[in-house]
């Protein structure tokens, strides 16, 4: 098991270097026009643009700029935001923790519900209940989050005024109040993910149920609850966990629409704003951090799968 | 406020203009304010003119407002500052509304573009209008306890005039005031020696030129760490991209008309949200109390919300539809007829209805428009759609079979809809308009080595460019209609206009100014280097129990007299 983790961690290093080169190239090499001009806008004079380019170091050779940025990232010096003139690291980490909290809260709602629904549907395969769960969860999945988000906002915040329209609570709010503010933004995410994960859990359950060892257990007279929790669930969850692992990165770094709609200062919104404003240091650091999150989430998913499935663990 | 001699002479001159019917009472108020005459003096002038005071304007939010409530807090919403909000270089709404809470200008703009002394109590020109003397308000201190004086004004002006500091204020001051032109005569008197006579100079050191905020002489470029200013609030906390909180400045110099200490509010919280729809939702849900700038697109729900009040202000922002007079088909002997032909195709009423629900002011291709800028002569011709005339002009220019033109614009705000309307309205006259829609970045992109020689917004044959508010027609003309204006998309070079403009800005004699303005207006409209189909009205939305919010145009939000009832 430790060998598996160690090997995966070592593999992450070249991947990260490759990703960092890609991010740097996309942000600094392939972007048309001057960084200074895109920041200052059309009404700035050429002297102002030149001055800003010099101040940002945008006139240095490309290799020097990459080495300086990558080295700084590793040592914790993520530079200064070109536009906001504040250190990038606290800015990105603050947004990251906000995103982590929203993603964590959403996962707490999504994972147990979708697995329960999926397994339940799988156990009652082809029944009316199975069809109802499958159709309704799939229907929710196809509703884009900006549609469900706007409807929920209008109904629960503007019309009924039951829930806050902001996702960000006042400064110093206790933890439970923070979660209260996250209820509305978490629901569109739940809609999106529910059908996907429930379907995986259902398919896994149906497959496992057709395995000879389950038939043997049933014929042996093992109680149904033990068959479900001891055998079916354990094996049916392997593909589900892999899917959840791949979704965690998106839930943290990809919630641009939800963050914008609910005015939540997460890392997705930060990345988009940094890209639009050509704030290169801020963009590079936040994208690289999200890339790390994707890798770590997949690593954790692999570890959980390995724990669930001894064949993977032993073969690892 | 101004020196007694000047006040008497200039005041008498204004009264004569009104009595002769050459100026309206509203125009008198605006012109009196430009030359630093006090409200009391202006009131006396109006009385001397006889009649009622219908020329005065009242803030919509002030009219019918209850007695101010002292204390409390309001939440307001708008975009985050795009950059670190350095007052010397800020250019965006988020940055400007933020620093405006704790910084002040020599002069503030009223909603009708008249001027109101803030840190300056009076200002007067010399006879040749190239030296302006400003008397400063006494007893004002910065919020760190240091006294405010002439030296702070001198260092603030020198800072924005230094090209190395990259201040946008230079775009207005360039060619009018140079480094070294600002001198402290004594602790409370500042003298501006201009490069050339300029009668609209007070606008250039007002909140209409937003980088000219007065900073302490010791300012080092770190306004967020050291938010030192003379304004009504203190910056309490600032979280980039999220929120800023402000506390009342207990030592603020301002008092209301009843002598009560300003500001009324104890604190305010500015919530930063980029997206207009998201801002509107927050207003509708009751989570915030005020949105200083509301955009028309998507504002219908706000107009209909029984809990909200949308204030409507006459605005001066435009969408400039420019003809590049140096390229085909707009150059040459027939260029003028072709430009006029397009202008006669426009149904301005329909455009205003489609884009702004009919709430904006119509424009007639001249900046000297009395409906927008007081003190302007009547518009030469209120251009209406006239296809016969358009076809006749085309025929005169040898294009009787019609012509094909290309209109370049950014996919931004209402530009695409305006372009489509122009395209549809030109068709019946035989003018085929090809729409060249670019991304915002592409429209404003350009080669670094020669930006203004390459960027589409200055060099394409026909363009739509969005302009924010400008307080006076002369400020617009200086920025885009003179041959040396760097932002001239029309590249217009008209000797009659340039000569008249130089004389216009060099005189304070209102009769001469009116004559010259008539020439300027006629020349601009007749030659049609640009089309100005409308002047965009400004909207501000607040809860119905919020009163006293001041500040013209989109970029200002003066909360010093704001309050909220239960």
């Amino acid at each position: 098991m430790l060998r598996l983790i160690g090997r995966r961690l070592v593999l992450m290093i070249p991947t990260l270097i490759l990703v960092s080169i890609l991010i740097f190239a996309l942000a600094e090499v392939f972007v048309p026009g001057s960084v200074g001009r895109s920041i200052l806008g059309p009404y700035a004079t050429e002297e102002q643009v030149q001055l800003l380019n010099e101040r940002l170091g945008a006139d240095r050779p490309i290799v020097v700029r990459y080495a300086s940025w990558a080295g700084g990232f590793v040592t914790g010096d993520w530079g200064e935001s070109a536009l906001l003139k504040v250190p990038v690291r606290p800015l990105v980490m603050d947004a990251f923790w906000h995103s982590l909290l929203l993603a964590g809260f959403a996962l707490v709602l999504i994972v147990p519900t979708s697995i329960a629904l999926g397994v339940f549907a799988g156990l009652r395969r082809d029944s009316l209940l199975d069809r109802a769960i499958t159709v309704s969860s799939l229907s929710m999945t196809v509703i884009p989050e900006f549609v469900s988000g706007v409807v929920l906002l209008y109904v629960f915040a503007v019309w009924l005024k039951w829930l806050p329209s902001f996702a960000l609570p006042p400064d110093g709010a206790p933890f439970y109040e923070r979660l209260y503010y996250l209820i509305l933004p978490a629901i569109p995410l739940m809609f999106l993910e529910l059908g996907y994960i429930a379907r995986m859990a259902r398919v896994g359950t149906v497959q496992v149920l057709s395995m000879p060892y389950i038939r043997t257990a049933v014929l042996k007279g093992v109680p149904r609850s033990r068959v479900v929790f001891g055998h079916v669930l354990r094996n049916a969850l392997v593909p589900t966990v892999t899917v959840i692992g791949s979704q965690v990165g998106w839930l943290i770094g990809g919630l641009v629409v939800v963050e914008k709609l609910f005015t939540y200062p997460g890392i997705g919104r930060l990345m988009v704003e940094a890209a639009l404003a050509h704030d290169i240091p801020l963009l590079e650091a936040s994208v690289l951090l999200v890339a790390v999150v994707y890798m770590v989430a997949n690593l954790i998913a692999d570890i959980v799968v390995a724990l669930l499935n001894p064949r993977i663990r032993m073969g690892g | 406020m101004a020196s007694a001699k000047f006040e008497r002479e200039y005041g008498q001159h204004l009264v004569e203009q009104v009595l002769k019917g050459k100026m309206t009472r509203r125009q008198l108020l605006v012109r009196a304010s430009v030359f630093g005459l006090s409200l009391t003096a202006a009131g006396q002038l109006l009385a001397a003119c006889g009649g009622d005071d219908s020329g005065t304007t009242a803030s919509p939010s002030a009219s019918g407002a209850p007695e101010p409530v002292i204390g409390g807090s309001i939440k307001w919403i708008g975009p985050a500052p795009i950059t670190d909000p350095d007052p010397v270089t800020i250019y965006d709404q988020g940055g400007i509304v933020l620093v405006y809470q704790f910084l002040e200008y020599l002069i503030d703009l009223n909603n009708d573009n008249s001027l109101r002394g803030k840190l300056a109590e009076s200002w007067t020109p010399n006879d040749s209008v190239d030296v302006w003397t400003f008397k400063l308000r006494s007893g004002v201190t910065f919020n760190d306890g240091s006294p405010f004086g002439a030296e702070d004004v001198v260092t603030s002006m020198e800072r924005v005039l230094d090209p190395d500091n990259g201040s946008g204020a230079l775009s207005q001051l360039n060619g009018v005031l140079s480094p070294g032109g600002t001198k402290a005569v004594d602790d409370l008197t500042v003298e501006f020696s201009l490069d050339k006579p300029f009668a609209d100079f007070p606008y250039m050191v007002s909140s209409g030129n937003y980088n000219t905020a007065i900073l302490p002489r010791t300012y080092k470029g770190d306004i967020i760490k050291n938010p030192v200013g003379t304004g009504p609030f203190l910056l309490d906390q600032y979280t980039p991209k999220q929120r800023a909180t402000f506390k009342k400045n207990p030592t603020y110099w301002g008092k209301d008309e009843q002598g009560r200490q300003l500001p009324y509010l104890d604190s305010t919280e500015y919530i930063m949200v980029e997206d207009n729809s998201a801002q509107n939702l927050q207003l509708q849900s009751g989570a915030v109390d005020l949105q200083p700038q509301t955009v028309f697109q998507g504002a219908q729900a706000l107009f209909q919300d029984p809990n909200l009040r949308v204030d409507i202000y006459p605005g001066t922002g435009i969408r400039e539809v420019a003809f590049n007079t140096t390229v085909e088909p707009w150059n040459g002997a027939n260029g003028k007829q072709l430009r006029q032909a397009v202008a006669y195709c426009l149904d301005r009423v329909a455009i205003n209805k489609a884009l702004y629900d009919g709430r904006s002011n119509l424009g007639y291709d001249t900046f000297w428009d009395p409906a927008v800028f007081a003190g302007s002569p009547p518009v030469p011709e209120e251009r209406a759609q006239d296809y016969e005339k358009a076809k006749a002009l085309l025929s005169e220019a040898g294009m009787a079979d019609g012509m094909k033109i290309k209109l370049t614009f950014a996919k931004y705000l209402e530009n695409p809809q305006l372009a489509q309307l122009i395209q549809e309205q030109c068709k019946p006259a035989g003018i085929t308009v090809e729409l060249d829609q670019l991304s915002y970045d592409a429209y404003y992109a350009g080669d670094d080595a020669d930006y203004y020689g390459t960027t589409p917004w200055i060099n394409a044959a026909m363009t739509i460019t969005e302009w924010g508010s400008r307080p006076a027609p002369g400020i617009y003309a200086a920025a885009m209609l003179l041959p040396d204006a760097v932002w001239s998309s029309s590249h217009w070079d008209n000797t009659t206009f340039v000569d008249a403009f130089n004389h216009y800005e060099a005189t304070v004699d209102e009769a001469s100014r009116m004559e010259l303005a008539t020439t300027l207006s006629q020349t601009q409209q007749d030659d049609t280097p640009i089309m100005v189909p409308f002047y965009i009205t400004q909207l501000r939305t607040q809860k119905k129990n919020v009163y006293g919010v001041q500040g013209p145009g989109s970029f200002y939000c003066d909360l010093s007299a704001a309050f909220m009832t239960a």
Side-chain angles (χ1 to χ4, degrees):
Chain A
M1 185 69 183
L2 281 175
R3 228 174 63 192
L4 168 81
I5 297 172
R7 206 177 61 180
R8 293 296 306 273
L9 279 173
V10 170
L11 268 176
M12 274 172 71
I13 295 168
T15 316
L16 263 177
I17 292 173
L18 191 66
V19 167
S20 72
I21 291 171
L22 270 175
I23 292 169
F24 184 82
L26 286 171
E28 300 211 18
V29 182
F30 299 117
V31 173
S34 133
V35 175
R37 172 61 63 190
S38 56
I39 290 172
L40 290 176
Y43 303 114
T45 63
E46 272 151 32
E47 290 75 24
Q48 286 171 265
V49 171
Q50 192 55 37
L51 200 70
L52 185 63
N53 278 337
E54 280 169 27
R55 188 167 69 74
L56 298 177
D59 50 352
R60 292 178 300 166
I62 192 85
V63 180
V64 176
R65 271 150 58 200
Y66 173 75
S68 153
W69 167 68
F73 192 88
V74 172
T75 56
D77 174 14
W78 296 4
E80 190 180 75
S81 160
L83 292 172
L84 302 171
K85 286 200 219 156
V86 293
V88 162
R89 198 157 70 125
L91 212 58
V92 172
M93 290 313 290
D94 184 53
F96 173 67
W97 291 123
H98 279 122
S99 290
L100 202 61
L101 184 65
L102 175 58
F105 183 61
L107 280 172
V108 166
L109 296 178
I110 295 164
V111 173
T113 318
S114 50
I115 290 177
L117 285 173
V119 171
F120 200 65
L123 292 172
R124 304 261 187 289
R125 186 184 177 185
D126 294 336
S127 70
L128 197 64
L129 198 71
D130 174 25
R131 284 172 207 281
I133 290 172
T134 308
V135 171
S136 56
S137 59
L138 269 177
S139 307
M140 283 193 273
T141 302
V142 298
I143 304 173
E145 66 267 45
F146 61 84
V147 174
S148 54
V150 167
V151 171
L152 288 164
L153 257 175
Y154 264 106
V155 173
F156 292 102
V158 175
W159 184 36
L160 297 171
K161 298 198 192 306
W162 287 353
L163 290 166
S165 50
F166 278 126
L168 187 67
D171 276 340
F175 186 69
Y176 66 86
E177 195 179 336
R178 297 182 79 86
L179 297 185
Y180 168 68
Y181 274 77
L182 290 178
I183 293 174
L184 263 190
I187 297 175
L189 304 180
M190 191 173 165
F191 283 0
L192 275 182
E193 295 290 334
L194 196 71
Y196 195 30
I197 297 174
R199 212 156 23 129
M200 293 308 296
R202 181 188 173 278
V203 170
T205 306
V206 169
Q207 272 179 352
V208 173
L209 281 175
S210 66
M211 292 288 171
Y213 66 90
I214 298 293
R215 277 206 300 276
T216 309
V218 173
L219 292 173
K220 230 167 51 173
V222 176
R224 188 172 167 79
S225 60
R226 253 187 72 192
V227 173
V228 171
F229 289 105
H231 300 289
V232 177
L233 208 56
R234 189 184 174 96
N235 292 293
L237 282 186
V238 171
T240 313
V241 168
T242 312
V243 167
I244 292 170
S246 69
Q247 294 299 299
V248 169
W250 176 77
L251 276 173
I252 291 176
L255 301 185
V256 180
V257 174
V258 167
E259 287 171 6
K260 276 185 101 74
L261 196 59
F262 293 90
T263 60
Y264 191 63
I267 201 162
R269 193 177 131 191
L270 187 74
M271 280 191 294
V272 170
E273 284 169 7
L276 289 175
H278 288 225
D279 191 339
I280 306 293
L282 191 57
L283 178 67
E284 288 169 342
S286 41
V287 174
L288 193 54
L289 183 66
V290 171
V292 173
V293 168
Y294 267 93
M295 286 183 218
V296 172
N298 279 312
L299 175 66
I300 293 170
D302 286 352
I303 293 168
V304 174
V305 167
L307 288 171
L308 289 170
N309 190 336
R311 276 173 301 176
I312 295 172
R313 198 160 63 225
M314 300 308 169
Chain B
M1 289 164 80
S3 77
K5 181 170 174 283
F6 181 84
E7 192 167 293
R8 198 171 50 248
E9 288 174 0
Y10 186 65
Q12 187 55 39
H13 170 65
L14 290 178
V15 170
E16 279 168 15
Q17 296 301 308
V18 174
L19 292 175
K20 283 178 189 167
K22 292 185 173 175
M23 182 182 261
T24 65
R25 298 159 63 81
R26 183 179 162 227
Q27 288 164 356
L28 179 146
L29 285 175
V30 173
R31 296 309 302 165
S33 78
V34 174
F35 292 98
L37 269 65
S38 65
L39 270 178
T40 319
Q44 286 165 356
L45 295 180
L46 279 180
C49 298
D52 61 21
D53 284 351
S54 56
T56 55
T57 53
S59 156
S61 50
S63 56
E67 272 296 291
V69 174
I70 313 294
S73 177
I74 68 167
K75 275 189 185 178
W76 48 303
I77 196 163
I82 293 173
T83 61
D84 166 52
D86 181 351
V88 179
T89 53
I90 45 170
Y91 57 90
D92 60 302
Q93 187 199 351
I96 292 163
V97 294
L98 194 132
V99 301
Y100 197 74
Q101 303 308 306
F102 55 92
L103 297 180
E104 290 182 309
Y105 297 83
L106 289 175
I107 301 171
D108 260 4
L109 277 176
N110 289 317
N111 290 327
D112 61 357
N113 287 315
S114 61
L115 299 172
R116 180 175 77 246
K118 204 75 185 257
L119 290 175
E121 279 192 327
S122 69
W123 50 97
T124 44
N126 63 352
D127 289 344
S128 50
V129 207
D130 58 357
V131 177
W132 285 78
T133 306
F134 279 58
K135 292 281 180 195
L136 306 181
R137 192 173 294 282
S138 60
V140 176
T141 55
F142 286 98
N143 55 34
D144 65 350
S146 58
F148 157 73
E151 201 51 45
D152 301 302
V153 177
V154 173
T155 50
S156 293
M157 294 309 298
E158 291 300 316
R159 204 177 284 118
V160 296
L161 288 168
D162 181 350
D164 285 349
N165 287 334
S167 176
L170 268 178
S171 67
Q172 286 193 31
L173 290 165
N174 195 25
V176 177
L177 180 67
S178 296
T182 315
K183 286 193 180 63
V185 176
D186 60 44
D187 273 358
L188 291 174
T189 310
V190 176
E191 194 176 86
F192 295 95
S193 301
L194 308 187
D195 302 341
K196 62 179 180 187
F198 210 86
D200 282 326
F201 176 71
Y203 284 115
M204 296 181 167
V205 288
S206 75
S207 50
N209 192 3
Y210 41 74
N211 296 121
T212 57
I214 302 302
L215 293 155
R217 62 198 78 177
T218 52
Y219 179 66
K220 293 281 189 297
D222 50 352
I223 198 73
I224 294 300
K225 281 184 194 148
N226 296 301
V228 180
T230 60
F233 291 95
L234 308 173
L235 179 64
D236 186 26
Q237 282 184 324
Y238 175 68
T239 311
K241 302 279 179 193
Q242 290 183 30
R243 66 177 115 214
T245 55
F246 301 91
K247 286 190 303 194
K248 174 184 200 151
N249 176 2
T251 61
Y252 185 54
W253 59 269
K255 299 220 172 0
D256 69 8
E257 285 168 4
Q258 278 74 44
R260 285 173 294 214
Q261 178 66 42
L262 294 173
Y264 300 134
L265 291 165
D266 287 333
S267 62
T268 78
E269 182 178 359
Y270 181 56
I271 312 283
M272 299 168 193
V273 175
E274 301 307 317
D275 186 64
N276 283 316
S277 314
Q279 287 183 25
N280 293 352
L281 273 172
Q282 303 301 337
L283 272 168
Q284 289 178 272
S285 73
V288 294
D289 309 305
L290 163 72
Q291 183 188 38
Q293 186 191 13
T294 301
V295 296
F296 268 95
Q297 288 70 27
Q300 286 311 314
L302 303 181
F303 277 106
Q304 287 156 13
D305 193 312
N307 301 312
L308 300 172
R309 186 180 69 244
V310 184
D311 288 340
I312 303 175
Y313 293 90
T316 61
I318 60 164
R319 301 289 170 259
E320 174 204 12
V321 186
F323 303 101
N324 185 339
T325 56
T326 61
V327 301
E328 291 283 348
W330 313 117
N331 59 355
N334 298 324
K336 184 170 111 177
Q337 281 92 331
L338 296 177
R339 299 195 294 269
Q340 285 180 347
V342 176
Y344 281 113
C345 289
L346 298 195
D347 180 347
R348 292 152 207 259
V349 176
I351 290 175
N352 186 20
K353 177 84 185 141
L355 300 182
Y356 306 107
D357 202 19
R359 293 176 199 267
S360 283
N361 269 315
L362 297 184
Y364 303 104
D365 311 334
T366 166
F367 289 130
W368 282 266
D369 187 330
V372 183
F373 295 113
S376 303
V379 169
E381 182 198 359
E382 292 192 357
R383 277 181 172 165
Q385 192 177 59
D386 187 341
Y387 286 128
E388 290 307 311
K389 214 168 194 171
K391 283 177 183 167
L393 285 161
L394 284 172
S395 190
E396 212 177 293
M399 295 276 192
D401 297 334
M403 64 172 173
K404 281 187 181 170
I405 56 176
K406 188 159 145 183
L407 176 58
T408 305
F409 58 95
K411 190 173 180 245
Y412 182 56
L413 299 173
E414 65 281 78
N415 293 344
Q417 293 95 310
L418 174 58
Q420 278 170 9
L421 287 165
I422 293 173
Q423 185 185 43
E424 285 165 21
Q425 293 177 359
C426 282
K427 207 182 269 176
I431 302 172
T432 308
V433 183
E434 182 196 337
L435 300 187
D436 179 24
Q437 178 175 285
L438 304 178
S439 71
Y440 183 87
D441 285 346
Y443 183 72
Y444 288 109
D447 186 346
D448 255 4
D450 181 20
Y451 177 73
Y452 290 110
T454 53
T455 182
W457 77 279
I458 294 288
N459 297 288
M462 186 181 173
T463 50
I464 301 177
T465 299
E466 55 283 353
W467 283 73
S469 299
R470 294 293 188 280
I475 305 288
Y476 258 128
M480 68 159 88
L481 291 181
L482 298 183
D484 57 351
V486 284
W487 298 341
S488 173
S489 300
S490 65
H491 300 264
W492 193 44
D493 187 355
N494 185 296
T495 319
T496 312
F497 188 87
V498 174
D499 288 347
F501 186 77
N502 287 336
H503 284 104
Y504 172 77
E505 289 297 357
T507 179
V508 294
D509 179 77
E510 289 301 326
S512 305
R513 276 178 69 85
M514 193 60 91
E515 259 175 50
L516 290 160
T518 306
T519 307
L520 289 166
S521 188
Q522 279 169 350
T523 313
Q524 185 188 346
Q525 192 187 55
D526 181 58
D527 219 50
T528 321
I530 65 167
M531 294 193 293
V532 186
F534 46 77
Y535 289 89
I536 304 166
T537 291
Q538 301 284 347
L539 306 178
R540 179 164 62 217
T541 308
Q542 57 248 288
K543 281 183 180 166
K544 282 197 166 157
N545 60 342
V546 173
Y547 298 93
V549 180
Q550 305 278 329
S554 54
F555 280 3
Y556 306 99
C557 183
D558 181 353
L559 297 176
S560 63
F563 62 94
M564 190 155 74
T565 57

